[in-house]
Amino acid sequence: MAKLVSKTYGEALFEVAMEEQKADIFLKEAQDILTTLEQNPELDKLMKHPKISKLEKEQVMDNVFKNQVSDEMLGFVKLVVKKERYNELPKIFRYLVDRIKEEKKIGIAYVTTAVELSDAKKQSVEARLLQTTQYKTMEMHYDVDESLIGGMVIRIKDRVVDSSVRTKLEEMKKQLLQIQLG
């Protein structure tokens, strides 16, 4: 149900962004709102408090975001609060951000390696991903996990390419365990 809510609201906001040609503006504003919500746990606590009325919560959102975001975005945030869907706000904005990036052909890749990659290697990985995907640009996120031993794991959306030594060793182990000694 929660996924349906975030998708429904996020898709509606995406359609408004596209109709009004404000995708870039909405993208930045959604990211800014997400950052504000993540960095202010007290605001989150206040917005989830059951004894604070919807009207007061709308006023809080108005005070926090009035000069930070467009009137459309502020109106949307207040509508979500009014409909008692505040808990879904981060998911709605993450959906919107992902949807706009997908529309603009911006891929988001998470690359995990056993050792830190040099800048040249990072550029090489990014170039290869651009060649093998439909994306025009890539937003790259690098992480180091020494337990991989070697190789890398690349995740783009729900696709994972795992060429790590750890995984290859685990696969070999499974194959060896399946061999019947006669």
Side-chain angles (χ1 to χ4, degrees):
M1 175 83 171
K3 190 169 189 168
L4 180 63
V5 169
S6 61
K7 183 178 181 191
T8 303
Y9 279 80
E11 192 62 34
L13 192 54
F14 171 76
E15 288 175 16
V16 170
M18 298 312 288
E19 278 177 23
E20 296 186 12
Q21 298 178 349
K22 292 186 174 184
D24 291 332
I25 294 168
F26 280 23
L27 175 64
K28 183 179 180 340
E29 289 179 347
Q31 290 170 325
D32 290 348
I33 291 171
L34 280 169
T35 301
T36 300
L37 294 176
E38 288 168 3
Q39 292 178 350
N40 295 289
E42 292 299 317
L43 173 63
D44 190 54
K45 194 174 177 181
L46 176 75
M47 292 302 294
K48 290 178 180 174
H49 198 285
K51 293 197 176 175
I52 297 176
S53 73
K54 284 190 273 187
L55 186 60
E56 289 172 310
K57 290 177 181 179
E58 286 178 54
Q59 289 172 342
V60 168
M61 291 288 104
D62 201 35
N63 291 339
V64 171
F65 296 114
K66 180 74 172 167
N67 297 317
Q68 310 296 319
V69 299
S70 63
D71 290 340
E72 296 96 338
M73 187 63 79
L74 181 59
F76 178 80
V77 169
K78 288 166 63 174
L79 173 73
V80 170
V81 170
K82 187 177 194 172
K83 297 284 186 180
E84 296 183 353
R85 299 289 191 185
Y86 170 79
N87 288 344
E88 299 298 319
L89 208 53
K91 292 177 193 160
I92 293 168
F93 284 130
R94 281 189 210 101
Y95 177 89
L96 176 68
V97 167
D98 290 346
R99 186 77 169 82
I100 290 174
K101 286 183 178 181
E102 193 67 31
E103 182 71 22
K104 296 171 79 53
K105 301 279 188 217
I106 301 170
I108 303 169
Y110 297 88
V111 180
T112 306
T113 55
V115 294
E116 184 73 32
L117 295 178
S118 67
D119 289 340
K121 188 66 176 166
K122 287 179 181 179
Q123 288 176 346
S124 173
V125 169
E126 184 175 353
R128 182 75 175 127
L129 290 175
L130 288 171
Q131 288 173 356
T132 57
T133 63
Q134 78 277 14
Y135 298 113
K136 294 178 182 173
T137 59
M138 293 299 293
E139 187 179 293
M140 304 296 291
H141 300 274
Y142 293 96
D143 193 26
V144 174
D145 180 357
E146 294 175 1
S147 72
L148 295 179
I149 304 169
M152 67 177 62
V153 178
I154 300 172
R155 184 174 61 85
I156 299 174
K157 290 173 52 174
D158 61 348
R159 292 183 60 210
V160 177
V161 177
D162 188 342
S163 64
S164 67
V165 173
R166 176 183 66 193
T167 299
K168 289 178 182 176
L169 287 172
E170 286 175 12
E171 288 171 4
M172 285 174 54
K173 178 182 172 184
K174 286 178 189 175
Q175 289 173 353
L176 289 171
L177 290 172
Q178 290 178 355
I179 296 175
Q180 298 273 328
L181 294 178

